[in-house]
């Protein structure tokens, strides 16, 4: 990746991030609206909304926000990575990788144990994501194949301890 700056999103970036998300997701606004809803929610962590900037333009974005794993009445706060986007003209240059790695490092530094996502089964494993169900973490809110529901362990040993159902918060469904 050459000359992209990875930094925390600022308020003045919001319109550019919206345009980037529409571009990256084939002119659909679903992901851009999801980001807007998450920003207004209790699950929003400003330092985990990260952009890649090149020549004063936003060319990539990743958002990691709060979710929870429920095991009966027991709740464990975790993180959900969604979405990640790179401008169509800038893909395959390492920008997405830089954003994901930065997001995972920041998540670890904040003291979280796990990051979960629904994503491409050959892309995310290169960063250490593994199929979540094999570790006793289920997903019922979305019907997805086993290999696309993945987890990343931020704190060693947590995958063996935290079990239950991932619950995405309300902004994912509004």
């Amino acid at each position: 990746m050459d000359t992209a700056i990875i930094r925390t999103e600022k308020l003045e970036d919001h319109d550019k991030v919206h345009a980037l998300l529409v571009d990256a997701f084939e002119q659909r606004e679903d992901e851009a609206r999801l980001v807007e809803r998450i920003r207004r929610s209790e699950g929003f962590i400003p330092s985990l909304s990260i952009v890649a900037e090149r020549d004063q333009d936003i060319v990539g974005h990743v958002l990691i926000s709060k979710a929870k794993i429920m095991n009966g009445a027991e709740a464990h706060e975790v993180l959900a990575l969604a979405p990640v986007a790179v401008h169509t003209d800038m893909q395959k240059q390492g920008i997405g990788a830089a954003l994901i790695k930065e997001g995972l490092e920041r998540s670890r530094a904040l003291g979280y144990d796990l990051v979960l996502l629904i994503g491409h089964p050959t892309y995310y494993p290169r960063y250490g994501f593994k199929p979540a169900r094999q570790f006793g973490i289920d997903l019922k809110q979305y019907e997805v194949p086993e290999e696309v529901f993945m987890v990343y362990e931020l704190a060693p040993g947590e995958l063996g301890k935290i079990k239950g159902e991932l619950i995405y918060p309300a902004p994912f469904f509004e």
Side-chain angles (χ1 to χ4, degrees), residues 21-32:
L21 290 164
V22 171
D23 169 77
F25 289 97
E26 301 173 342
Q27 304 305 310
R28 293 190 333 263
E29 292 202 23
D30 297 351
E31 286 79 7

Side-chain angles (χ1 to χ4, degrees), residues 16-89:
K16 289 181 179 180
V17 168
H18 183 98
L20 164 74
L21 290 164
V22 171
D23 169 77
F25 289 97
E26 301 173 342
Q27 304 305 310
R28 293 190 333 263
E29 292 202 23
D30 297 351
E31 286 79 7
R33 289 188 189 123
L34 172 62
V35 167
E36 291 166 2
R37 292 190 305 267
I38 291 171
R39 284 188 194 121
R40 294 189 304 265
S41 76
E42 292 178 12
F44 180 62
I45 304 168
S47 64
L48 296 181
S49 186
I50 305 166
V51 297
E53 181 182 31
R54 185 182 283 168
D55 299 326
Q56 300 179 357
D57 197 19
I58 302 300
V59 296
H61 177 257
V62 67
L63 181 58
I64 302 173
S65 58
K66 294 178 187 177
K68 62 185 170 184
I69 293 178
M70 296 296 300
N71 191 353
E74 182 182 333
H76 191 91
E77 191 169 74
V78 296
L79 297 173
L81 188 158
V84 62
V86 175
H87 192 281
T88 52
D89 294 340

Side-chain angles (χ1 to χ4, degrees), residues 76-115:
H76 191 91
E77 191 169 74
V78 296
L79 297 173
L81 188 158
V84 62
V86 175
H87 192 281
T88 52
D89 294 340
M90 304 283 178
Q91 292 176 0
K92 300 191 186 327
Q93 296 181 31
I95 294 169
L99 287 165
I100 291 167
K101 289 174 185 175
E102 180 70 16
L104 294 173
E105 286 306 312
R106 290 182 184 197
S107 298
R108 181 179 289 112
L110 290 171
Y112 287 93
D113 298 324
L114 302 176
V115 177

